[in-house]
């Protein structure tokens, strides 16, 4: 149903833009709440006395420091903080600064800062009591060289602090909060594409299907209107060509009838030859009119059992003495025009019986399609004519005798019916001789 012409439609671009703004606003609001709610992380505090006790005892009773004996230590770049804490540590240990080594762990994802020694004054001497109370802030690693040349190394134990777990949980909650907006955005993008894909599929199966509804944003409504206009133009084009062919075929009857009347006074031999040609032309006209009527009228579709319909055709031909068999199987139900499907099946079986003397049929449901195969052991069709036989008035039998070659509209009509139902008809030569006609119809 078409929407009123004056109805206001907000553009799809504006809707998506606003939805993205809302999504960004939600993310920023969650970040703001994180800054307010999260506890500010504080660096761990140690004292030089704590480090000295761990070095002299060879262990740390508090479990906050790791103590081990190593052969060598890695040379650390100079910085004023390390020099100041190292001097306090050497004073507390009662040793020279050259036998003390300390290095601080830089913050996450940050490089260790480099300093010039000449730009910073040396630390002033302090008493051992004052040195023991100097604070060591953050992660560090300190070492004290022993008389045997080895080092006693003390390092802070770095763990995953609780505030980091809180931030990770908050990021997960933020993702969940934004997920509905992301889903809505993806759905809004995909829905029009799915609608047009379904419409294109429906147009391929039934050119006279109902037009798309003009609803939704302005861009979608305009695209739907253009699609409906294209569908209407295609139908008009087909209708116009069909009308012309039907009119020409119909109007040919009058001059053919006049020719028949004028031949009444002709010699018998000439009259009989001309009357045969006139009958052939009348047959062609009748067949053309039937083909146009069958392919142009809007079919009435309903659920039908293709196996039962095929069995009825097979039984009718068998009653006439023809050799036709259908392999047993499960029912195959589809939506279709019973008259058109029956004409399709009859046409293919009749061709097989006419040119090969027999037909073997199989019917099965494969990948959502009903597949009917009609096999025969006849002469087959030259490979170069396998597609040409579906052209109107093309006959694989090169004679002009209608009794042996037909008119050339049977297979085109069968393919037209199959394609009107969203399927197709294909021909292939059998390896051992004969032909396979395969009908595929969507279930």
């Amino acid at each position: 149903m078409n929407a009123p012409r004056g109805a206001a439609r907000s553009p799809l671009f504006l809707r998506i833009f606003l939805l993205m703004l809302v999504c960004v606003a939600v993310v920023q609001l969650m970040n703001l709440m994180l800054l307010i709610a999260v506890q500010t992380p504080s660096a761990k505090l140690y004292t030089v006395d704590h480090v000295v006790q761990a070095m002299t005892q060879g262990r740390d009773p508090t479990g906050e420091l790791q103590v081990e004996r190593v052969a060598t230590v890695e040379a650390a770049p100079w910085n004023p903080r390390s020099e100041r804490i190292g001097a306090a540590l050497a004073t507390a240990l009662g040793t020279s600064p050259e036998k003390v080594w300390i290095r601080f762990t830089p913050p996450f994802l940050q490089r260790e800062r480099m300093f010039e020694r000449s730009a910073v004054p040396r630390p002033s001497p302090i008493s051992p009591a004052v040195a023991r109370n100097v604070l060591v802030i953050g992660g560090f690693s300190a070492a004290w060289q022993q008389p045997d040349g080895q080092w006693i190394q003390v390092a802070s134990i770095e763990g995953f602090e609780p505030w980091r777990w809180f931030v990770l949980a908050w990021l997960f909650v933020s993702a969940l909060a934004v997920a509905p907006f992301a889903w809505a955005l993806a759905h809004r993008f995909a829905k029009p594409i799915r609608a047009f894909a379904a419409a294109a599929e429906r147009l391929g199966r039934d050119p006279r299907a109902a037009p798309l509804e003009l609803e939704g944003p302005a861009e979608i409504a305009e695209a739907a209107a253009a699609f409906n206009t294209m569908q209407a133009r295609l139908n008009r084009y087909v209708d116009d060509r069909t009308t012309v062919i039907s009119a020409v075929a119909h109007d040919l009857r009058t001059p053919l009838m006049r020719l028949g009347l004028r031949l009444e006074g002709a010699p018998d031999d000439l009259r009989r030859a001309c009357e045969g040609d006139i009958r052939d032309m009348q047959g062609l006209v009748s067949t053309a009119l039937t083909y146009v009527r069958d392919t142009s009228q809007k079919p009435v579709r309903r659920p039908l059992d293709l196996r039962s319909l095929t069995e009825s055709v097979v039984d009718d031909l068998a009653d006439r003495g023809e050799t036709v068999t259908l392999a047993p199987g499960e029912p195959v139900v589809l939506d279709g025009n019973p008259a058109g499907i029956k004409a399709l099946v009859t046409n293919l079986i009749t061709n097989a019986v006419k040119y090969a003397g027999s037909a073997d049929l199989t019917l099965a449901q494969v990948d959502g399609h009903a597949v009917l195969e009609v096999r025969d052991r006849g002469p087959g069709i030259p490979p170069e004519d396998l597609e040409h036989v579906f052209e109107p008035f093309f006959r694989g039998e090169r004679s002009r005798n209608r009794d042996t070659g037909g008119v050339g509209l049977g297979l085109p009509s069968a393919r037209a019916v199959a394609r009107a139902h969203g399927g197709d008809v294909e021909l292939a030569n059998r390896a051992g001789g004969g032909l396979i006609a395969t009908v595929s119809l969507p279930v």
Side-chain angles (χ1 to χ4, degrees), residues 259-281:
L259 285 175
L261 294 175
R262 291 173 181 174
L263 287 173
E264 291 296 330
D268 292 341
D269 294 341
L270 178 61
R271 186 179 69 253
R272 284 193 296 269
C274 292
E275 287 177 349
D277 292 338
I278 291 174
R279 284 193 300 270
D280 291 343
M281 294 180 67

Side-chain angles (χ1 to χ4, degrees), residues 296-315:
S296 61
Q297 66 181 1
K298 185 176 181 179
V300 178
R301 299 186 180 183
R302 60 178 177 81
L304 60 90
D305 183 358
L306 183 58
R307 180 169 294 279
S308 297
L309 186 147
T310 305
E311 287 176 348
S312 66
V313 176
V314 170
D315 292 341

